[in-house]
Amino acid sequence: IENPKKPGAYCWVWSGSTRVSGDTGSLPMITPPPPPTFTATVGPTFSLSFENVHACSGAPTAILAVKNNGGDDLESLNLKIEDLTSSSTLYAAATSNAPFMGTSGECPPGGDALPPGKTYFAGGAIGAGNSGHTARATAKLCTEDNLDGACATKTVEFTIP
């Protein structure tokens, strides 16, 4: 039928939304074009868990374990750690490229990309005086530097020791 919003252009209409009247025997049979294809973009697959808090340059630092469950290296990270008890941001870093540490005892920044199937660590300073508070870490990880490529975000809540 003619598109009422674009004279001279035609569109398909679902038969369930129309009522045909009159003689349709002289109308030509037209094979509709195939529907457009859709390719979903899937972000990286990873798990995030709280590992520990230890001092880095004298500052309590929350360390998170990150396991790459996908098929691509994870290259960049943006990490935010919030104190939910006091409604404050403890750590909000700029984008970090190759931010991962090989062990949970190291101190950020790291220097590695995270290959598929491996578990590395990332972290941020959370300051003192928050023991017993509930915190939330939000990690955005991407397959390319500068938070480019395919990205995914995960959160984990933990109690600050």
Side-chain angles (χ1 to χ4, degrees):
I1 65 167
E2 186 171 11
N3 185 336
K5 294 185 179 181
K6 293 184 179 179
Y10 294 87
C11 58
W12 296 96
V13 175
W14 176 54
S15 64
S17 68
T18 60
R19 185 168 31 112
V20 178
S21 62
D23 181 16
T24 60
S26 63
L27 294 175
M29 291 296 284
I30 299 174
T31 301
T37 58
F38 174 74
T39 304
T41 302
V42 178
T45 303
F46 67 95
S47 60
L48 182 69
S49 60
F50 171 73
E51 188 71 17
N52 66 51
V53 171
H54 65 263
C56 290
S57 299
T61 301
I63 303 298
L64 306 169
V66 183
K67 181 175 183 184
N68 185 347
N69 300 314
D72 296 313
D73 284 356
L74 299 177
E75 300 281 343
S76 59
L77 163 75
N78 184 278
L79 178 63
K80 180 177 184 179
I81 303 173
E82 302 167 277
D83 184 325
L84 300 179
T85 305
S86 66
S87 299
S88 62
T89 298
L90 301 174
Y91 182 79
T95 299
S96 177
N97 296 324
F100 301 103
M101 304 171 293
T103 71
S104 63
E106 294 181 50
C107 290
D112 296 321
L114 179 53
K118 297 287 186 180
T119 299
Y120 283 178
F121 302 89
I126 59 171
N130 301 308
S131 182
H133 289 200
T134 301
R136 177 188 302 130
T138 303
K140 179 178 181 179
L141 295 169
C142 300
T143 57
E144 296 179 19
D145 284 347
N146 303 312
L147 298 180
D148 283 334
C151 300
T153 302
K154 294 218 183 251
T155 62
V156 62
E157 291 187 10
F158 59 96
T159 301
I160 300 171

